[in-house]
Amino acid sequence: MTGNGSSVDTARAPSAEATTKPPAMPPEGNPALRMMGLPNFRLKLPSRNWLIFLSITGSFTSLLLYDRHQRKLAQRKWCTLVSHLALEPLPITSMPRKLTVYLAAPPGDSLSSAREYFTEYVKPILVSSALDWDVVEGRREGDVRAGLAERVRKLRRRRGESSEAELEEDVEFSVEQTRLKAGVREADGVKGDIIIGRHTWKEYVRGLHEGWLGPLDPPQPPVSPASVVDTSSPESSQSPAPETPSSSEVAQDLDGAHVPDDASPTAPPAVETPTEPAKPSKPAQQPPFISTTVYSSANLPSTLPSTFDPSTPLPFPHILGFFNTPVRIYRFLTRRHLAEVAGRDTAAVVLAGSRYYKQSLPSSTIAQADPITGSNEQVAGTEANEYEQQRILEHEETEWHKSVWKRKEDEGERAWLDQVVIDPRIAARMRKFELDPAEEARAAKIAEGKEGMLGETAYNGEVTS
């Protein structure tokens, strides 16, 4: 039995060894990668966490790249629309057309965001048309208002209006006089102003009214009652005058005065510590020369033109706050809409088409139309204004930071929070830049690739008129 059992076990041993197979060799892979020392990559699906990460980052990157591409196409379209102006010959005795750009720090933020807006959306179109521009910046509320009003007052003085203050010959005035002596004149035609944002537009309108309706000299400050001395009272007339020492008493005091030891000739001279020069302080902002309540009673100056240079306000959506992060992300990924609106309005300024601002609006309430998204938002409790200048970009005020709306006690006028007050005589002289329908149709053809720059061959080989 034992022998038979051992023989059976020895017979089954070779069969068990025959069933076991040697481990499979890993695939050799690409020999070129193997010679370079790179590992053998195996194709497989990533894990769940990697799929979530790659889908989020890939979607955000694709949206960002698409928006950037569309924004460049929009800017290229409007730059091509106005680029033919840069090829027009300019006489050597004439200056190029010059615009004025007004920008201010948005409520609750710094001036850098307004500068980035100008550099990103406005400057490329102005450069393509070879125009010159002057920038008026405001770091605080009221700087643009004060700067524009002072510009208007200087213009009135140069045109011959009398003023107690003498006309200061600044650098700009000296340059103008030098050019006139050399026979160089300013460009003929329309100049115009570009205003960025609702907050800057409210200061622009206020400064325009202050400059043309207000006086040339600053108003006298109110005299406090404590500083007024009643000379008619008997006490003031009977008060003895202070006695002044005679010359002989002064001489005796000098002769008998005790000279300290430090003043002797043998004493070492006192060492004076060098004092650091004081830093120049920022100029104080001038208060308004005229109140909005006396616009109607103000006399028009003799130098008031019949029509002002046209202007156009550009939309400047700017929202702050942690809870507004989804809105800010959406606007960051859809900046192509802002580039389209800002480019269209800037091209209208360059092409110099204009119209008068509308008046006597019949609607009882205002539907706030966002030019970026195109949505209409009804603002509760907002009555219709009489002039178009009063409701332009009014929807931007709802996005201002809450710290701007806090008023201090005994606080004076605030251009951002106060209502826009319009004088009919000033409003009738204001004009707004507007793009001609023919130019807008040509811009659509440029976007489709059917037309190029005016006067050159288009993209499809056809010659434009």
Side-chain angles (χ1 to χ4, degrees), residues 435-457:
L435 189 63
D436 189 79
E439 298 293 344
E440 193 167 1
R442 193 165 70 88
K445 293 181 180 180
I446 293 175
E448 297 174 359
K450 299 180 180 179
E451 190 172 343
M453 185 174 60
L454 188 63
E456 288 190 354
T457 306

Side-chain angles (χ1 to χ4, degrees), residues 299-314:
N299 297 324
L300 295 179
S302 58
T303 57
L304 181 67
S306 59
T307 303
F308 296 144
D309 290 330
S311 60
T312 185
L314 300 183

Side-chain angles (χ1 to χ4, degrees), residues 139 164 176 376 452:
R139 297 180 179 274
E164 296 179 0
E176 291 180 1
N376 294 329

Side-chain angles (χ1 to χ4, degrees), residues 297-414:
S297 60
N299 297 324
L300 295 179
S302 58
T303 57
L304 181 67
S306 59
T307 303
F308 296 144
D309 290 330
S311 60
T312 185
L314 300 183
F316 185 21
H318 188 78
I319 190 171
L320 299 175
F322 175 77
F323 294 102
N324 295 321
T325 301
V327 179
R328 299 178 66 181
I329 293 177
Y330 172 76
R331 291 182 177 180
F332 178 75
L333 296 176
T334 57
R335 290 187 293 175
R336 57 186 180 273
H337 304 306
L338 181 59
E340 178 70 22
V341 175
R344 183 183 182 277
D345 294 342
T346 308
V349 175
V350 173
L351 297 176
S354 62
R355 62 166 176 84
Y356 284 101
Y357 282 94
K358 299 177 183 179
Q359 302 180 12
S360 302
L361 300 176
S363 60
S364 58
T365 56
I366 300 173
Q368 304 297 333
D370 192 348
I372 309 301
T373 60
S375 60
N376 294 329
E377 297 180 0
Q378 193 74 20
V379 179
T382 305
E383 297 295 334
N385 296 307
E386 186 179 0
Y387 297 95
E388 182 183 1
Q389 297 95 314
Q390 294 175 304
R391 64 180 181 88
I392 285 182
L393 303 178
E394 196 170 8
H395 63 276
E396 293 185 2
E397 295 188 12
T398 59
E399 298 179 351
W400 290 355
H401 197 263
K402 60 182 180 181
S403 60
V404 182
W405 300 98
K406 297 180 180 179
R407 287 182 176 270
K408 300 179 181 178
E409 295 182 0
D410 300 335
E411 190 176 21
E413 177 185 338
R414 291 193 60 181

Side-chain angles (χ1 to χ4, degrees), residues 131-408:
L131 295 186
D132 193 8
W133 65 87
D134 187 15
V135 180
V136 178
E137 296 181 345
R139 297 180 179 274
R140 299 170 299 172
E141 180 181 357
D143 286 352
V144 173
R145 187 267 314 160
L148 176 58
E150 186 62 26
R151 276 172 166 249
V152 176
R153 286 191 287 264
K154 286 184 179 180
L155 180 62
R156 291 170 58 184
R157 294 190 188 100
R158 293 175 184 176
R159 290 182 176 179
E161 291 193 34
S162 59
S163 173
E164 296 179 0
E166 297 181 358
L167 181 61
E168 299 179 358
E169 296 185 0
D170 51 359
V171 178
E172 183 179 357
F173 181 75
S174 302
V175 170
E176 291 180 1
Q177 295 299 322
T178 304
R179 288 173 179 171
L180 289 176
K181 293 179 181 180
V184 179
R185 55 183 177 83
E186 295 184 357
D188 299 332
V190 182
K191 292 183 179 180
D193 302 328
I194 298 177
I195 302 95
I196 298 177
R198 167 74 176 180
H199 60 291
T200 313
W201 172 252
K202 297 182 75 172
E203 293 190 34
Y204 175 84
V205 175
R206 180 68 175 97
L208 194 66
H209 282 73
E210 178 188 345
W212 288 110
L213 298 180
L216 294 179
D217 301 319
Q220 297 295 334
V223 181
S224 59
S227 61
V228 179
V229 179
D230 190 4
T231 58
S232 61
S233 60
E235 297 179 357
S236 61
S237 59
Q238 296 177 2
S239 59
E243 298 180 358
T244 57
S246 61
S247 59
S248 60
E249 294 177 355
V250 173
Q252 293 177 3
D253 292 342
L254 292 176
D255 293 340
H258 174 70
V259 180
D261 297 340
D262 295 342
S264 60
T266 58
V271 179
E272 297 182 358
T273 57
T275 58
E276 298 181 357
K279 296 182 179 180
S281 58
K282 296 182 180 179
Q285 186 183 115
Q286 291 185 348
F289 285 16
I290 185 175
S291 176
T292 57
T293 57
V294 296
Y295 279 172
S296 58
S297 60
N299 297 324
L300 295 179
S302 58
T303 57
L304 181 67
S306 59
T307 303
F308 296 144
D309 290 330
S311 60
T312 185
L314 300 183
F316 185 21
H318 188 78
I319 190 171
L320 299 175
F322 175 77
F323 294 102
N324 295 321
T325 301
V327 179
R328 299 178 66 181
I329 293 177
Y330 172 76
R331 291 182 177 180
F332 178 75
L333 296 176
T334 57
R335 290 187 293 175
R336 57 186 180 273
H337 304 306
L338 181 59
E340 178 70 22
V341 175
R344 183 183 182 277
D345 294 342
T346 308
V349 175
V350 173
L351 297 176
S354 62
R355 62 166 176 84
Y356 284 101
Y357 282 94
K358 299 177 183 179
Q359 302 180 12
S360 302
L361 300 176
S363 60
S364 58
T365 56
I366 300 173
Q368 304 297 333
D370 192 348
I372 309 301
T373 60
S375 60
N376 294 329
E377 297 180 0
Q378 193 74 20
V379 179
T382 305
E383 297 295 334
N385 296 307
E386 186 179 0
Y387 297 95
E388 182 183 1
Q389 297 95 314
Q390 294 175 304
R391 64 180 181 88
I392 285 182
L393 303 178
E394 196 170 8
H395 63 276
E396 293 185 2
E397 295 188 12
T398 59
E399 298 179 351
W400 290 355
H401 197 263
K402 60 182 180 181
S403 60
V404 182
W405 300 98
K406 297 180 180 179
R407 287 182 176 270
K408 300 179 181 178

